[in-house]
């Protein structure tokens, strides 16, 4: 049975977890390896049929693993249906059981293998990518590396089987990988397919259930892209008043960065917080309040008792937007750390935390990969090489809930990891992170747990960006999300 993006099961798995489930399934006697390969190949054929691609010129590329076997079976079914199909295979001297079985089926159906694929590729309208599967670790080697480069250069419509060749299904990394239009993954959704580089390569993700569901363990990694209504924002009573709907204080905005706390504060209001105050440089009053008089303001030159009172007034603190890394911002961060209030930390608050690490249970940290690298003392490349390892390490070191932003944002509280494949490249503009921090702080102030508020905030933020992108991704501004946040929050 085939499931499209919006129907995917929420549980996500590593390659080893799926291999173990396959072994248990086969050991049960309910199926053998060849039957699993048949199911996968049949699912690929059905998806091509569903996509209206059977009348195209199709090139099937098969590797020497079980992915290649799936490709052989798909090619066999295409051949038997009278399709214009050609197959090129990368072989090795001692093929495994799966490849031997699938190749024999293809040849028995009258198929023959190409000696070269490039001439056929020039005329192909559809390519089925079965080159590399879930066993890939590190960058592809010859001959696969060159094949992937050639394949991407021709830009045909590409269906990748199980995983775009070159992507690590456990991490989502892969500097050289096939850019698919559609990826059909088998057995169970893989955690790496919806984060990191994979988000640029997978295209539309489909899932084929080939019978493993009863043999898979419980997973602590969940896809939350379509679970907004499951996250539970407490209903607002008819006799509610502003003081009962959550109070947030936003701290930030050093010289030249007045817009950051303004964006965060308006985001808090749009996400439903009853009262929002900003602590910033006194000269930023006009920028913060202009056009948004609902935001309260306190000008701060030095941290004094009035500042502590403003911190104490709030239910939730949000510190970091435009905070800077000078004494002014450092002193406000120290004042915030002395409070016992739950806190969302973003931007320069994270950069200052990296210089003086501490661990707390009542905060939400929202780093992008650069900030995560500084917090962990590693390179950005190392963070992106394994985003799951990075978010686990961040939470172990700093506590609380960690939101590792990026393509396929990860949210982790030390127990469960949520993955949110939402949003689009239009978010790659200044202020987008300030808006996300504001949404999370507002949801916490309204009674959601840190984990639920962080998860729902990420989904609302990404969904708002997807709605805003209907007018175009390039040139989308952080404030363009405000029009959509309000409606989305009402769906939680």
């Amino acid at each position: 049975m085939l499931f499209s993006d919006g129907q995917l099961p929420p549980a996500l798995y590593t390659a080893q977890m799926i291999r173990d489930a396959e072994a248990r399934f086969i050991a049960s006697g309910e199926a053998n390896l060849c039957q699993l390969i048949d199911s996968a190949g049949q699912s690929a054929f059905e998806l091509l049929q569903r996509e209206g691609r059977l009348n195209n010129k199709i090139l099937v590329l098969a590797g020497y693993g079980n992915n290649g076997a799936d490709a052989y079976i798909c090619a066999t079914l295409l051949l038997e249906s009278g399709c214009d199909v050609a197959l090129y295979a990368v072989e090795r001297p001692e093929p495994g059981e799966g490849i031997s079985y699938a190749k024999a089926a293809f040849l028995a159906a009258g198929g023959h293998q190409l000696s070269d694929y490039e001439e056929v590729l020039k005329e192909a309208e559809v390519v089925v990518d079965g080159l590399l599967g879930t066993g890939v670790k590190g960058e592809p080697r010859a001959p696969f590396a060159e094949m992937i480069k050639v394949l991407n250069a021709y830009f045909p419509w590409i269906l990748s089987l199980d995983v775009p060749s070159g992507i690590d299904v456990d991490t989502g990394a892969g500097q050289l990988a096939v850019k698919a239009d559609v990826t059909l993954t088998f057995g169970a959704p893989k955690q790496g397919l919806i984060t990191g580089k994979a988000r640029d390569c997978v295209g539309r993700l489909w899932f084929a259930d080939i019978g493993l569901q009863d043999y898979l363990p419980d997973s602590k990694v969940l896809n939350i892209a379509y679970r907004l209504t499951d996250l539970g924002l407490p209903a607002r009573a008819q006799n509610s008043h502003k003081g009962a709907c959550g109070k947030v204080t936003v701290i930030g905005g050093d010289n030249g960065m007045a817009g950051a706390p303004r964006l965060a504060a308006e985001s808090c209001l749009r996400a439903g917080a009853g009262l929002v105050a900003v602590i910033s440089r006194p000269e930023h009053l006009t920028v913060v309040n202009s056009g948004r008089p609902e935001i309260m303001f306190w000008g701060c030159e030095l941290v004094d008792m009035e500042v502590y009172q403003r911190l104490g007034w709030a239910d939730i603190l949000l510190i970091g937007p435009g905070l800077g890394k000078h004494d002014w911002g450092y002193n406000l961060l120290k004042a915030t750390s002395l409070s016992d209030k739950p806190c969302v930390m973003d931007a320069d608050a994270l950069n200052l935390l990296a210089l003086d690490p501490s661990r707390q249970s009542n905060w939400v940290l929202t780093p992008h990969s650069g900030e995560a690298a500084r917090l962990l003392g590693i390179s950005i490349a190392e963070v992106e090489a394994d985003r799951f390892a990075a978010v686990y390490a961040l939470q172990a070191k700093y506590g609380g809930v960690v939101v590792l932003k990026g393509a396929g944002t990860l949210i982790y509280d030390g127990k469960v990891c949520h993955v949110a494949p939402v949003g689009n490249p239009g978010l790659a503009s200044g202020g987008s992170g300030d808006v996300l921090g504001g949404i999370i702080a507002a949801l916490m102030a309204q009674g959601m747990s840190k984990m639920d508020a962080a998860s729902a905030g990420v989904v609302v933020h990404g969904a708002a960006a997807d709605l805003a992108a209907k007018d175009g991704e390039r040139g989308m501004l952080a404030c363009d999300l405000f029009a959509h946040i309000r409606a989305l929050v009402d769906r939680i």
Side-chain angles (χ1 to χ4, degrees):
M1 183 178 295
L2 297 174
F3 299 89
S4 63
D5 283 19
Q7 304 168 317
L8 296 178
L12 301 170
Y13 297 89
T14 64
Q16 188 59 54
M17 293 167 77
I18 296 170
R19 283 193 286 269
D20 291 345
E22 288 177 351
R24 287 190 289 270
F25 189 28
I26 292 170
S28 74
E30 291 189 51
N32 57 42
L33 176 61
C34 297
Q35 288 171 319
L36 291 179
I37 291 170
D38 282 340
S39 294
Q42 177 70 37
S43 297
F45 172 80
E46 290 175 3
L47 183 54
L48 289 170
Q49 186 175 45
R50 184 185 293 247
E51 293 282 317
R53 300 289 172 173
L54 297 190
N55 293 325
N56 296 140
K57 292 183 178 180
I58 303 173
L59 172 62
V60 177
L61 299 176
Y64 42 67
N66 286 339
N67 250 42
D70 300 338
Y72 268 111
I73 295 300
C74 178
T76 301
L77 296 171
L78 290 168
L79 194 65
E80 292 173 345
S81 296
C83 298
D84 184 353
V85 59
L87 180 142
Y88 178 84
V90 178
E91 299 186 281
R92 57 183 175 185
E94 298 180 4
E97 175 190 355
I99 280 287
S100 297
Y101 161 75
K103 179 180 178 180
F106 176 71
L107 296 176
H112 69 277
Q113 295 178 204
L114 297 170
S115 57
D116 180 71
Y117 67 92
E118 289 198 57
E119 286 303 313
V120 176
L121 180 59
K122 292 177 182 178
E123 298 184 358
E125 299 165 289
V126 171
V127 170
V128 177
D129 160 34
L131 291 172
L132 296 171
T134 61
V136 168
K137 296 294 177 186
E139 294 305 304
R141 297 184 291 273
F144 298 107
E146 185 59 31
M147 292 180 72
I148 292 170
K149 291 176 184 176
V150 171
L151 181 56
N152 286 339
Y154 278 104
F155 297 108
W157 188 91
I158 300 174
L159 168 64
S160 284
L161 302 185
D162 212 16
V163 54
S165 291
I167 290 293
D168 186 320
V169 295
D170 289 345
T171 67
Q175 290 303 307
L176 177 61
V178 168
K179 284 197 170 187
D181 293 273
V182 178
T183 297
L184 175 62
T185 198
F186 305 118
K190 284 79 174 170
Q191 66 179 35
L193 292 182
I194 59 173
T195 191
K197 179 63 182 296
R199 286 273 284 157
D200 195 40
C201 295
V202 165
R204 289 181 288 120
L205 181 60
W206 283 72
F207 163 61
D209 181 357
I210 58 173
L212 301 186
Q213 299 305 302
D214 290 341
Y215 297 90
L216 291 164
D218 291 336
S219 175
K220 295 182 179 180
V221 181
L222 302 173
N223 179 353
I224 61 164
Y226 307 100
R227 293 186 58 219
L228 189 58
T229 56
D230 298 340
L231 293 170
L233 182 63
R236 185 169 289 187
Q238 291 298 314
N239 64 341
S240 295
H241 58 84
K242 60 188 179 183
C245 294
K247 297 179 289 186
V248 179
T249 292
V250 179
I251 307 108
D254 201 352
N255 294 324
M257 294 184 282
R262 159 64 191 269
L263 286 167
E266 183 164 352
S267 177
C268 283
L269 290 170
R270 292 299 185 185
L275 292 166
V276 178
V278 168
I279 296 175
S280 189
R281 290 281 190 181
E283 56 268 31
H284 294 160
L285 169 63
T286 302
V287 173
V288 171
N289 275 147
S290 178
R292 189 52 60 226
E294 298 89 346
I295 300 171
M296 295 178 284
F297 184 86
W298 179 252
C300 169
E301 287 286 7
L302 297 172
V303 176
D304 54 19
M305 288 307 299
E306 184 67 26
V307 170
Y308 281 103
Q309 288 174 7
R310 299 281 173 168
L311 298 177
W313 164 86
D315 299 312
I316 303 294
L317 305 177
L318 166 56
I319 184 167
L323 186 68
K325 293 179 282 188
H326 305 296
D327 288 348
W328 183 83
Y330 177 79
N331 290 333
L332 280 168
L333 180 60
K334 281 298 183 183
T336 301
S337 67
L338 294 174
S339 169
D340 61 354
K341 298 297 177 68
C343 181
V344 178
M345 294 185 66
D346 187 32
D348 282 329
L350 298 172
N351 293 324
L352 290 170
L353 179 62
L355 299 175
D356 186 16
S358 63
R359 194 176 196 280
Q360 293 188 27
S361 62
N362 67 339
W363 58 22
V364 176
L365 309 182
T366 62
H368 55 56
S369 57
E371 291 156 349
R374 287 187 282 276
L375 287 164
L376 292 173
I378 60 178
S379 68
I380 295 174
E382 287 173 293
V383 171
E384 288 299 310
D386 192 339
R387 289 169 55 79
F388 289 95
V391 79
Y392 298 157
L394 285 165
Q395 201 283 330
K397 182 174 181 178
Y398 293 96
V401 173
V402 178
V403 178
L404 180 55
K405 297 183 292 192
T409 293
L410 308 183
I411 307 103
Y412 184 58
D413 66 351
K415 298 177 182 178
V416 176
C417 183
H418 289 168
V419 189
V422 292
N424 59 75
L427 288 171
S429 65
S432 294
D434 303 320
V435 172
L436 173 60
I439 298 170
I440 295 172
L443 296 178
M444 290 171 63
Q446 293 171 81
M448 293 186 80
S449 70
K450 296 187 299 296
M451 184 63 172
D452 283 350
S455 298
V458 169
V459 174
V460 166
H461 185 253
D466 289 338
L467 291 169
K470 291 181 180 179
D471 293 325
E473 291 178 3
R474 294 182 189 272
M476 188 170 77
L477 302 179
C479 58
D480 293 336
L481 275 60
F482 292 150
H484 307 289
I485 291 169
R486 180 179 172 187
L488 289 164
V489 167
D490 273 346
R491 291 168 48 190
I492 300 178

